[in-house]
Amino acid sequence: MRIAMFDVKDYDRESFEKYNHQNDIEISYFDTKLSMNTVSLTKGFDGVCIFVNDIVNKEVVDALYQNDIKFILLRCAGYNNVDVKACYGKIHVYRVPAYSPYAVAEHAMALLLTSIRRIHKAYNRTRDFNFNISGFTGFDLHGKTVGVVGTGKIGRIFIDICNGFGMKVLAFDKFPNDSVKAEYVSLEELYKRSDIISFHCPLTEETMHMFNKDTLKLVKKGVTIVNTSRGALIDSVALLEGLKDRIIGAACLDVYEEENDIFFNDFSGHIVDDDVLARLISLPNVLMTSHQAFLTKDALDNIAETTIQNALVYRNKTSNENELCYHCPNIENCRKKRKGSCF
Ligand code: NAI
């Protein structure tokens, strides 16, 4: 079984290499992303393994199918970059639904704490032997209200962490869960009451730009926004306006809606053409990481193990819960109704 792995970084290679040449699996690594420009590289392979910024739209699906690609292994949880409906009846699609929800939830809290306590700025000052603490006044998390949008695996762990800090937790989810230790409210109420808003729901047509110029009219002045989910949940232009107008007190971002051609690459010697991104990064109250919330050794090991298992599920013609549903917009809800693949 020959697998072409795209958008490969050194850490991917390290975690996957122990499975290479085992169980008749041959992995070839490509640094480039999968897109219409690179799809010709997939000729002669049985499957492809992709990450968050590879683009598998309908055109690419058709080209993959023509190249006799039989399965797509997403080595991530989100699948908004794949036209799953177009894959139906042609190419099986598997994902890694949970590799370490702790990694992402802990990163969200790390961003929040770093931002509100100015740790990143203090680090730079003390390294320069500047021990002045002016401008570093933060606020206690204890007693503050946090609004968590999306109470799935990651959102729930983030809620537990926030409860540990003594915060009041509000939650919004399309499918609320009784076991979640938070007060479920409408999205509008969450926006109105929260001191901190953290996004943990998937990017869908429904959630695209769920934070926008209209929601800026609802939020508390000085609200802190945390996004470790998908960039396009937030309208970046509205976010920038909210920051410039001093409505938003701080933004902690691990994702950005136009990150595809930028994140994971070194642009330190170049001029970045995205003016919104450049302006966001220039603001003192914006803390940005480059889609690294998942990046722990534990998560990478789990990703590699589950991805290889998914490949074996395809080869053994069995089914598992990691194969996507090709019809339903909400995969978790769909799983409650049926078992196995709907391919
Ligand atoms: P999950 O599937 O366990 O939970 C998602 C939750 O969102 C579910 O409870 C679902 O009911 C809810 N939801 C779906 N549609 C909604 C809507 N319209 N409004 C409100 N809630 C809605 O997913 P998990 O594992 O918690 O991951 C959440 C997101 O985190 C992923 O979709 C992915 O985009 C992102 N992620 C980011 C990573 C990073 O490195 N920055 C790594 C892994 C995931």
Side-chain angles (χ1 to χ4, degrees):
M1 195 160 49
R2 296 197 64 212
I3 300 170
M5 189 183 288
F6 286 86
D7 200 11
V8 174
K9 305 288 182 234
D10 51 356
Y11 47 81
D12 295 310
R13 204 182 284 254
E14 259 168 51
S15 53
F16 274 90
E17 198 45 25
K18 65 173 176 276
Y19 299 100
N20 207 357
H21 315 297
Q22 309 280 329
N23 286 306
D24 282 333
I25 289 177
E26 298 292 324
I27 305 171
S28 296
Y29 302 102
F30 294 100
D31 294 347
T32 182
K33 290 187 185 65
L34 178 59
S35 68
M36 207 47 209
N37 293 331
T38 58
V39 74
S40 59
L41 292 169
T42 64
K43 277 189 192 138
F45 288 92
D46 300 295
V48 294
C49 178
I50 60 167
F51 195 50
V52 292
N53 290 329
D54 294 287
I55 297 174
V56 185
N57 53 22
K58 187 175 180 319
E59 207 185 356
V60 175
V61 171
D62 290 341
L64 288 172
Y65 187 58
Q66 272 183 7
N67 287 353
D68 211 17
I69 290 296
K70 298 166 198 78
F71 58 90
I72 296 170
L73 305 168
L74 279 150
R75 52 180 197 281
C76 54
Y79 47 92
N80 53 284
N81 52 330
V82 177
D83 188 334
V84 181
K85 281 194 178 144
C87 292
Y88 178 62
K90 293 180 176 164
I91 302 175
H92 291 263
V93 190
Y94 302 87
R95 66 171 181 152
V96 182
Y99 36 89
S100 176
Y102 298 98
V104 183
E106 288 171 14
H107 191 79
M109 184 48 91
L111 281 175
L112 177 59
L113 282 172
T114 304
S115 167
I116 66 166
R117 303 307 301 269
R118 319 286 191 264
I119 305 292
H120 51 313
K121 293 181 183 294
Y123 175 77
N124 285 333
R125 266 194 212 173
T126 51
R127 275 178 65 85
D128 206 21
F129 297 94
N130 175 355
F131 300 105
N132 181 346
I133 59 169
S134 289
F136 288 167
T137 310
F139 60 84
D140 294 5
L141 285 182
H142 185 271
K144 296 295 180 303
T145 300
V146 58
V148 178
V149 182
T151 57
K153 290 176 284 298
I154 296 169
R156 265 179 254 178
I157 293 165
F158 186 70
I159 287 173
D160 287 346
I161 295 172
C162 291
N163 279 320
F165 273 82
M167 302 174 82
K168 161 87 190 150
V169 186
L170 303 179
F172 171 74
D173 197 297
K174 212 175 161 192
F175 306 96
N177 183 308
D178 289 344
S179 65
V180 171
K181 296 184 190 74
E183 179 191 343
Y184 277 105
V185 293
S186 68
L187 187 59
E188 187 177 330
E189 192 177 341
L190 182 146
Y191 282 146
K192 281 183 181 162
R193 286 174 55 194
S194 301
D195 301 301
I196 295 137
I197 300 169
S198 192
F199 289 92
H200 300 285
C201 65
L203 176 63
T204 62
E205 277 175 19
E206 207 178 348
T207 60
M208 170 98 180
H209 286 185
M210 69 196 305
F211 190 90
N212 53 49
K213 64 178 175 17
D214 294 326
T215 48
L216 280 180
K217 294 174 194 144
L218 300 174
V219 295
K220 275 189 183 179
K221 191 170 163 52
V223 65
T224 299
I225 303 293
V226 183
N227 189 6
T228 55
S229 192
R230 285 292 181 267
L233 297 178
I234 294 179
D235 176 346
S236 319
V237 174
L239 178 75
L240 183 57
E241 288 308 312
L243 285 155
K244 282 180 7 195
D245 293 345
R246 280 66 168 173
I247 298 168
I248 298 173
C252 307
L253 309 172
D254 186 52
V255 285
Y256 172 65
E257 64 177 319
E258 301 296 337
E259 71 179 52
N260 272 26
D261 294 326
I262 299 173
F263 279 20
F264 307 120
N265 297 310
D266 181 0
F267 280 93
S268 53
H270 302 264
I271 294 167
V272 171
D273 288 327
D274 187 325
D275 287 352
V276 176
L277 177 68
R279 186 75 174 101
L280 280 171
I281 290 175
S282 77
L283 298 180
N285 47 355
V286 173
L287 180 62
M288 194 177 282
T289 50
S290 174
H291 209 134
Q292 69 169 73
F294 73 98
L295 194 62
T296 64
K297 170 133 187 21
D298 313 74
L300 290 173
D301 288 347
N302 290 339
I303 288 171
E305 190 186 341
T306 308
T307 302
I308 296 298
Q309 275 169 9
N310 289 343
L312 295 176
V313 160
Y314 168 77
R315 189 175 61 195
N316 298 337
K317 299 200 179 348
T318 51
S319 72
N320 72 2
E321 296 226 321
N322 301 340
E323 182 162 3
L324 294 179
C325 175
Y326 303 87
H327 305 299
C328 301
N330 185 287
I331 189 167
E332 308 297 336
N333 202 32
C334 168
R335 291 282 178 229
K336 288 177 195 154
K337 294 185 206 141
R338 66 168 179 83
K339 286 209 162 60
S341 165
C342 63
F343 193 77

